[in-house]
Amino acid sequence: MTIIEETAGVPAPRAGGEASGPLLEVRDLHVEFHTRDGVAKAVNGVNYSVASGETLAVLGESGSGKSVTAQAIMGILDMPPGKIPHGQILFRGQDMLTMSNDERRKIRGRKIAMIFQDALSSLNPVLSVGYQLGEMFRVHQGLSKKEAKAKSIELMDKVKIPAAKARVGDYPHQFSGGMRQRIMIAMALALEPDLIIADEPTTALDVTVQAQVMDLLAELQREYNMGLILITHDLGVVADVADKIAVMYAGRIVETAPVHELYKRPAHPYTRGLLDSIPRLDQKGQELYAIKGLPPNLLKIPTGCAFNPRCPKADDICRTEIPALVPVTEQDGSELPGRGSACHFWKETIHG
Ligand SMILES: Nc1ncnc2c1ncn2[C@@H]1O[C@H](COP(=O)(O)OP(=O)(O)OP(=O)(O)O)[C@@H](O)[C@H]1O
Ligand SMILES: [Mg+2]
């Protein structure tokens, strides 16, 4: 049985001249939180990667470790109580967990930027958006106040904020939720990072605005040829923008696949459950499917496959042996690039 070492598999970087290999690669990452009640194992051996110009969507129910993995990449984990007992976070092949603070600082915040769900709490309410955007240029690039203001207006135009020139002095609360999220995107773009991590960037917005903000993000990502890690629990959001998906459950990747293949033929019962829970127009009036039970308590993850208590396919082996993430193949054994499943019964799930 070969364990998938890296989940790159799917499309090589599109633009020419890129160094080969992934931009960011997370290898066997473990994160635990030492609490009064015990050790919560939030991330239990995550492997994923993203290349320049590529979008990786990370999907999973609440508490599956999506944000904690991102926080580990950005270096913003609460430590303590958080701890990284094992793993590597490679940026262009260099492990950020072992490099010097100086080297790390050059990458985080500059080469990697993050967009959070809640713009209102990420922006300072008593400073104008122009000031906050401009600060990026003044502090990091040493631009004058006037130059920084001009750059801020340029960026606000770029993220399609109407009347940018007139609004550059406005405060965060004077913008709508969607516009604030555009400002967050502008801040993330300011230093032209190689990678953006967007953690539920549209969850707080209503559905039409969600789609607009997501389209904007996808458009800019293509234009700048950035890597994008898009964290969400909304399968509907990712179909149009992602190249590949990693599905997380209880701190592990349980399935990886190019986006359209995952929708067509899931190879893990958990993914199938998530797909079956999406409301569909042609099933109006019918009761919506829900995966039974709840995600596990991370202080006491079930033995074997963590999903086994909720899984319709679970058998004895699922209660005793943790399934490794293995390559998924066609029935005749031919390769399915980029596909992997951590299920003892992946064959039945995808081909059955
Ligand atoms: N500072 C902390 N101290 C203790 N436990 C924490 C801390 N931060 C996160 N956790 C735990 O780690 C687990 C994973 O959390 P994480 O935020 O990564 O989930 P998520 O997949 O992003 O979920 P959601 O979809 O709700 O955002 C959770 O059970 C959470 O309680
Ligand atoms: Mg989260």
Side-chain angles (χ1 to χ4, degrees):
M1 196 155 58
T2 30
I3 294 175
I4 293 181
E5 286 295 338
E6 54 140 309
T7 52
V10 216
R14 280 173 221 149
E18 282 295 335
S20 59
L23 181 62
L24 181 95
E25 192 178 351
V26 174
R27 281 195 195 161
D28 198 22
L29 184 72
H30 292 251
V31 181
E32 51 193 39
F33 292 99
H34 292 251
T35 69
R36 255 197 318 203
D37 300 326
V39 180
K41 300 200 163 178
V43 176
N44 299 298
V46 161
N47 293 281
Y48 65 51
S49 69
V50 63
S52 298
E54 187 179 50
T55 297
L56 163 73
V58 181
L59 206 83
E61 281 168 298
S62 192
S64 55
K66 307 181 296 294
S67 295
V68 168
T69 306
Q71 286 158 11
I73 297 169
M74 277 309 278
I76 52 171
L77 267 181
D78 289 331
M79 301 212 271
K83 203 174 153 185
I84 301 179
H86 193 76
Q88 291 180 310
I89 300 173
L90 307 172
F91 183 80
R92 297 195 184 281
Q94 277 196 303
D95 187 4
M96 291 201 286
L97 295 177
T98 54
M99 64 179 53
S100 72
N101 286 341
D102 269 358
E103 283 177 301
R104 221 174 358 234
R105 260 198 299 274
K106 282 187 200 141
I107 297 177
R108 287 171 173 159
R110 292 186 185 213
K111 306 267 186 221
I112 310 178
M114 191 153 173
I115 301 170
F116 299 92
Q117 174 181 331
D118 183 5
L120 207 49
S121 63
S122 308
L123 291 166
N124 189 329
V126 300
L127 297 173
S128 72
V129 300
Y131 184 90
Q132 294 180 67
L133 275 168
E135 200 169 28
M136 305 289 292
F137 300 113
R138 290 193 305 275
V139 172
H140 291 285
Q141 294 179 348
L143 298 193
S144 72
K145 246 173 126 173
K146 201 170 151 200
E147 289 166 331
K149 186 175 171 189
K151 279 273 211 180
S152 304
I153 295 170
E154 205 178 291
L155 264 182
M156 285 169 72
D157 273 332
K158 190 98 214 163
V159 297
K160 302 186 177 131
I161 292 177
K165 207 167 175 181
R167 302 213 62 186
V168 68
D170 286 356
Y171 292 86
H173 72 269
Q174 293 173 292
F175 291 85
S176 67
M179 288 299 150
R180 274 198 295 267
Q181 211 55 0
R182 286 169 192 266
I183 292 163
M184 292 303 296
I185 294 174
M187 293 196 61
L189 282 177
L191 305 176
E192 300 189 14
D194 297 336
L195 174 70
I196 287 191
I197 303 176
D199 192 351
E200 314 256 8
T202 61
T203 306
L205 308 173
D206 69 51
V207 178
T208 41
V209 181
Q210 262 185 21
Q212 291 161 3
V213 171
M214 197 53 74
D215 286 347
L216 171 74
L217 190 58
E219 188 186 313
L220 293 167
Q221 182 247 345
R222 274 193 299 272
E223 186 184 329
Y224 288 75
N225 195 39
M226 294 178 292
L228 175 64
I229 298 178
L230 178 64
I231 298 172
T232 175
H233 33 217
D234 186 348
L235 263 165
V237 165
V238 300
D240 297 331
V241 294
D243 296 299
K244 60 183 188 181
I245 295 194
V247 181
M248 281 189 79
Y249 189 79
R252 282 174 200 278
I253 306 288
V254 295
E255 177 159 13
T256 59
V259 65
H260 295 294
E261 293 205 27
L262 186 106
Y263 284 77
K264 256 190 297 185
R265 291 195 297 173
H268 196 290
Y270 178 59
T271 314
R272 170 148 289 171
L274 288 179
L275 289 170
D276 288 344
S277 334
I278 303 179
R280 282 172 38 181
L281 285 174
D282 58 344
Q283 290 175 343
K284 225 175 159 188
Q286 285 180 35
E287 207 174 310
L288 199 58
Y289 174 83
I291 303 172
K292 67 172 187 181
L294 291 171
N297 175 352
L298 298 175
L299 294 169
K300 239 178 89 186
I301 296 176
T303 52
C305 171
F307 186 57
N308 88 71
R310 305 173 72 189
C311 184
K313 284 198 158 51
D315 206 338
D316 286 345
I317 186 172
C318 308
R319 290 181 270 274
T320 50
E321 255 184 57
I322 297 178
L325 188 66
V326 295
V328 165
T329 56
E330 286 293 6
Q331 237 153 346
D332 63 7
S334 55
E335 264 183 67
L336 284 168
R339 295 213 59 167
S341 169
C343 173
H344 292 298
F345 297 104
W346 65 264
K347 280 186 189 144
E348 289 85 333
T349 308
I350 188 171
H351 303 304

